[in-house]
Amino acid sequence: MKLGGAVLCGGKSSRMGRPKGFLPWENEVLLQKIVRTVQQVCSPVVLVAAKDQEVPQIFKDVEILRDEVEGKGPMAGLVVALKNMASEVDAVFLASCDVPFLDEATIRFLAERLDGCRALVPRVHDTCNPLVAVYRVDLLGNFEQMLEKNCLRMQSIAEMDGGLI
């Protein structure tokens, strides 16, 4: 299976007051750490940002994609990533830019367990974690429909088609 990676770095970070991805983390910023980790397992890797969000060109071999629809959150970012990577990969590992403890082993663990499933979204204490998950590209149409219906809650992914998880 060919696995691509997408890191979501959009969002207003209104509670934080500044972009989460640019918070210092050890000797780099959090976004650098997440992208570097995803690159260890996935190829290609893309960043998905809001239309007007500044994202420095600090990444080698990482394309920066922009949300096609403003203000629709992570669901819009997932659609952009799947749409742009569909011809190159079988599935996409999706991560938000604010998961500092993400590691290569976690990504491999999830990808190896995708098997015949269309998505693998981990649950921790009965809570889905759709922003650290693997999605097959054939789900693009489902996610586009959700976006059209303004169903933006990422937790809704677990309820699609009787439950993907």
Side-chain angles (χ1 to χ4, degrees), residues 7-11 19 21-22 29 31-32 35 46-59 62-67 97:
V7 178
L8 302 179
C9 59
F22 296 108
V29 296
L31 185 59
Q32 288 173 303
V35 169
V46 299
L47 283 177
V48 184
K51 285 184 178 187
D52 58 352
Q53 183 180 5
E54 284 187 44
V55 180
Q57 289 283 357
I58 53 176
F59 306 103
V62 175
E63 183 179 1
I64 298 173
L65 306 175
R66 300 291 175 170
D67 288 339
C97 67

